[in-house]
Amino acid sequence: MENSKNKFHDYLLLEKNYSQHTVTAYINDIGFFESFLSNEYDDDNLLRVNYNQIRSWIVSLSDDGISNTSINRKISSLKSFYKFLLKTKQIEVSPLLKHKALKSPKKIQIPFSEKELDLVLNQITYKEGFEGIRDKLIIDLFYTTGIRRTELINLKIQNVDLSNKTIKVIGKRNKERIIPILTIIEEQVKKYLSERSSIQDVKEADYFFLLTNGVKLNDSFVYRLINYYFSNVSEKVKKSPHILRHTFATHLLNNGADINSVKELLGHSSLASTQVYTHNSLAELQKVYNGAHPRNKK
């Protein structure tokens, strides 16, 4: 089976253009299922699997306290693998042909308020020099562009175009998009680049954002940074880069932006992905509507 898994790995990476992080998650999920088969059925041959075995794994995961959302993600990895086996004619029928996803509660992402953003960007004190300037720019770039965490980490210095006030980011499946930046961001970028030039021993000079040791940012650093600064101004449970992306979209929609324009800025392939951000903008619209319509004043 290792050969099939290796080919599936390459297929996801090279043909589907999935990120290495996503591909690793898929392969790990398949590996966990393989281990389950070995332990429970003394047979880890994935080509001989039936749906009852998959259902047993689902029950086992649920008994271990794994959420329905996480179970669905693992089963999605298996589905993709069996689709690949069908495509490459290694099996004739997928054991997941009639599987239906488990019901999972819809999570409402609560964006930061405009007041919270104002406090973080204009009221709190940042460190002097490179670190403070970098941290503030990271937060402001998330909020003013809706960029994803991975896109920000992998932003190349050559793709920051101050003359046109744009940045070019590489999104999911290697899709490129151009995002405009505000004048206030342009000013911060210039200040940041000035401080960045003073870093000794830069190891990954191609990347725009660097740590003090001259290497590019990593996922955990960016998450901790956002959580740290917003913990000073917000009591929301979740404080993450994705919430800033959500905030970007919600605030644009609240202030009259066209949903198709927001879709393009976010890099969504379908409008359905963008529509999840309309929940809060509709609530805001309803509040304005209730306060303004004459029929509601009688």
Side-chain angles (χ1 to χ4, degrees):
M1 281 313 303
E2 286 304 313
N3 188 42
S4 292
K5 286 196 294 182
N6 289 337
K7 287 181 178 178
F8 180 58
H9 175 282
D10 293 343
Y11 167 74
L12 293 177
L13 199 64
L14 303 175
E15 290 192 42
K16 301 293 284 184
N17 287 324
Y18 287 176
S19 70
Q20 183 61 62
H21 177 77
T22 300
V23 173
T24 300
Y26 274 57
I27 299 301
N28 286 344
D29 288 336
I30 294 164
F32 292 143
F33 179 57
E34 205 171 19
S35 297
F36 172 81
L37 291 175
S38 180
N39 293 332
E40 295 294 320
Y41 296 95
D42 198 27
D43 183 1
D44 61 1
N45 190 324
L46 295 170
L47 299 181
R48 291 197 292 261
V49 166
N50 60 59
Y51 184 64
N52 286 335
Q53 292 171 312
I54 295 173
R55 189 167 57 189
S56 294
W57 187 45
I58 292 172
V59 171
S60 172
L61 291 170
S62 183
D63 288 344
D64 288 341
I66 307 299
S67 70
N68 284 3
T69 301
S70 295
I71 292 173
N72 284 339
R73 185 187 62 77
K74 292 178 185 299
I75 298 303
S76 177
S77 298
L78 275 191
K79 264 191 170 180
S80 295
F81 180 59
Y82 282 111
K83 279 184 181 178
F84 171 75
L85 294 180
L86 273 172
K87 185 176 182 178
T88 53
K89 296 183 168 39
Q90 296 180 65
I91 60 172
E92 293 181 1
V93 180
S94 168
L96 282 155
L97 185 63
K98 296 182 180 180
H99 174 76
K100 292 183 179 179
L102 303 179
K103 290 184 178 179
S104 54
K106 289 184 178 180
K107 291 183 179 178
I108 297 176
Q109 302 279 4
I110 302 175
F112 297 116
S113 67
E114 291 187 32
K115 181 180 179 181
E116 286 170 331
L117 264 300
D118 179 64
L119 287 171
V120 166
L121 293 170
N122 300 314
Q123 305 297 322
I124 65 174
T125 302
Y126 290 81
K127 289 182 182 178
E128 293 289 328
F130 170 76
E131 288 184 80
I133 292 169
R134 176 201 61 199
D135 291 0
K136 185 176 182 182
L137 177 56
I138 287 172
I139 294 169
D140 221 347
L141 203 62
F142 272 131
Y143 178 51
T144 58
T145 66
I147 194 171
R148 297 181 178 96
R149 173 167 49 177
T150 303
E151 293 169 347
L152 180 131
I153 289 171
N154 292 313
L155 182 64
K156 297 290 183 69
I157 199 162
Q158 68 186 33
N159 290 336
V160 178
D161 184 353
L162 291 182
S163 61
N164 290 310
K165 293 186 182 180
T166 61
I167 57 172
K168 180 168 73 174
V169 300
I170 312 300
K172 290 184 176 181
R173 304 184 187 183
N174 288 331
K175 280 180 61 179
E176 292 184 0
R177 71 183 187 282
I178 305 295
I179 307 175
I181 58 173
L182 303 176
T183 300
I184 194 169
I185 298 298
E186 178 191 10
E187 293 167 359
Q188 288 184 63
V189 167
K190 289 177 181 176
K191 195 183 298 185
Y192 167 75
L193 289 175
S194 175
E195 292 290 336
R196 184 185 184 278
S197 64
S198 65
I199 296 179
Q200 301 296 318
D201 191 27
V202 173
K203 301 176 183 67
E204 296 184 272
D206 287 349
Y207 292 94
F208 182 76
F209 283 112
L210 299 176
L211 299 174
T212 52
N213 62 357
V215 301
K216 72 170 185 172
L217 310 182
N218 56 68
D219 283 344
S220 59
F221 173 85
V222 177
Y223 181 87
R224 289 197 309 270
L225 182 149
I226 300 303
N227 193 68
Y228 169 76
Y229 283 104
F230 279 90
S231 291
N232 292 308
V233 303
S234 176
E235 295 183 357
K236 289 182 173 65
V237 174
K238 193 166 184 182
K239 298 177 274 288
S240 68
H242 184 72
I243 296 299
L244 266 177
R245 177 171 160 85
H246 182 61
T247 302
F248 161 81
T250 302
H251 288 185
L252 280 181
L253 290 166
N254 282 350
N255 285 281
D258 173 66
I259 192 170
N260 284 297
S261 300
V262 175
K263 167 185 170 289
E264 294 302 317
L265 290 168
L266 290 170
H268 285 159
S269 56
S270 72
L271 196 59
S273 300
T274 315
Q275 285 171 334
V276 300
Y277 297 105
T278 62
H279 174 82
N280 293 286
S281 57
L282 286 171
E284 182 70 19
L285 185 62
Q286 188 173 33
K287 188 166 68 176
V288 173
Y289 170 72
N290 288 337
H293 199 285
R295 289 286 289 167
N296 205 36
K297 296 177 181 179
K298 292 182 180 179

